[in-house]
């Protein structure tokens, strides 16, 4: 669970904001715990203390990709499948973790949840993107551990891990995402998530 961002667009460390009687990050930790054998929390470098909600707590890096690498170092070497999840998505159900894990166990190098894009996509400079066959990609994302580790060699950077695994030659499949699995980016997103709490 990567939670080492600074929440610039939110206006502060959103992962620790209150949501439904606990910290926002606790929702992600809880869902990860239900689906996975072990949970690594990647925390902001200024909050490196062990978090009892995780098995390991490690300080993150300057970018999301760097934070994923920090977390990977704490994942046992014999774990065959690694799931990366954004703390900023508190509504991801454990079933979504199960679905991406199953897709990897079925032979993919990586699996991501995708949802259809409802809006027309236009380039600001002009020209509309064909929405056919396009999905918006969420987390949790599951990977064969060796494919994820190899994809991170050389310290590349991208907005998600599937991008890196694919760039390294891996096969990434899309499973059906969940439209409620919103990412808290700005304060409006938090209002929406609050309204959707189980
Ligand atoms: N993240 C991280 N380490 C970073 C940057 C981001 O672990 N150096 C995590 C965030 O904590 C979040 C997820 O990656 O759970 C997705 O990032 P984002 O939504 O962009 O969060 P922030 O980077 O915190 O927000 P902002 O970009 O507005 O600063
Ligand atoms: Mg960010």
């Amino acid at each position: 669970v990567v939670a080492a961002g600074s929440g610039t667009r939110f206006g502060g460390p959103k992962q620790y904001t209150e949501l439904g009687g606990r910290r926002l990050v606790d929702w992600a930790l809880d869902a990860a715990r239900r689906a996975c054998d072990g949970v690594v929390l990647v925390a902001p470098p200024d909050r490196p203390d062990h978090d009892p909600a995780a098995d390991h707590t490690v300080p993150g890096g300057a970018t999301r990709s760097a934070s994923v690498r920090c977390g990977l170092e704490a994942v046992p070497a014999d774990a065959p499948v690694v799931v990366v999840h954004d703390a900023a998505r508190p509504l991801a159900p454990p079933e979504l973790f199960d679905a991406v894990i199953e897709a990897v166990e079925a032979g993919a190098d990586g699996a991501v949840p995708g949802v259809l894009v409802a809006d027309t996509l236009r380039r600001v400079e002009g020209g509309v993107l064909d929405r056919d066959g396009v999905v918006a990609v969420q987390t949790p994302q599951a990977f064969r551990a060796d494919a994820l580790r190899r994809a991170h060699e050389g310290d590349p950077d991208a907005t998600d891990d599937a991008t890196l695994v694919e760039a390294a030659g891996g096969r990434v499949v899309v499973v059906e995402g969940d439209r409620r699995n919103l990412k808290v980016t700005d304060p409006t997103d938090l209002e929406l998530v609050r309204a959707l709490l189980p």
Side-chain angles (χ1 to χ4, degrees):
V1 174
V2 284
S6 45
T8 315
R9 289 168 288 179
F10 186 79
K14 59 194 179 188
Q15 57 274 52
Y16 298 114
T17 203
E18 186 276 333
L19 176 65
R22 49 186 177 160
R23 306 170 304 173
L24 189 140
V25 62
D26 288 322
W27 293 85
L29 291 170
D30 214 55
R33 163 79 56 214
R34 284 162 198 252
C36 303
D37 295 326
V39 179
V40 176
L41 173 64
V42 185
D46 60 347
R47 299 209 194 199
D49 296 342
H50 176 67
D51 191 312
D55 298 303
H56 301 281
T57 309
V58 298
T63 63
R64 183 185 182 282
S65 296
S67 291
V68 171
R69 288 189 279 280
C70 294
L72 262 178
E73 283 176 34
V75 174
D78 62 352
V81 177
V82 178
V83 184
V84 184
H85 184 48
D86 289 339
R89 292 188 188 268
L91 296 181
E95 295 74 27
L96 195 55
F97 283 72
D98 296 339
V100 289
I101 291 167
E102 276 164 30
V104 170
E105 286 173 342
D109 296 306
V112 302
V115 291
L116 294 175
V117 181
D119 301 317
T120 298
L121 300 173
R122 165 174 289 275
R123 285 187 204 282
V124 178
E125 309 281 295
V128 170
L129 277 75
D130 188 357
R131 220 175 47 189
D132 252 22
V134 170
V135 290
V137 172
Q138 309 177 330
T139 71
Q141 302 188 350
F143 303 96
R144 272 185 37 212
D146 57 344
L148 183 62
R149 289 184 200 276
R150 198 168 335 113
H152 274 279
E153 280 173 13
D155 298 348
D157 197 51
T159 52
D160 77 353
D161 298 283
T163 303
L164 299 178
V165 166
E166 197 165 70
R171 184 173 70 92
V172 174
V173 300
V174 178
V175 308
E176 192 176 346
D178 187 326
R179 292 183 61 82
R180 287 162 300 182
N181 180 20
L182 301 174
K183 177 164 159 287
V184 176
T185 302
D186 64 36
T188 303
D189 298 318
L190 183 64
E191 284 182 55
L192 295 171
V193 162
R194 242 187 245 294
L196 291 173
L197 281 181

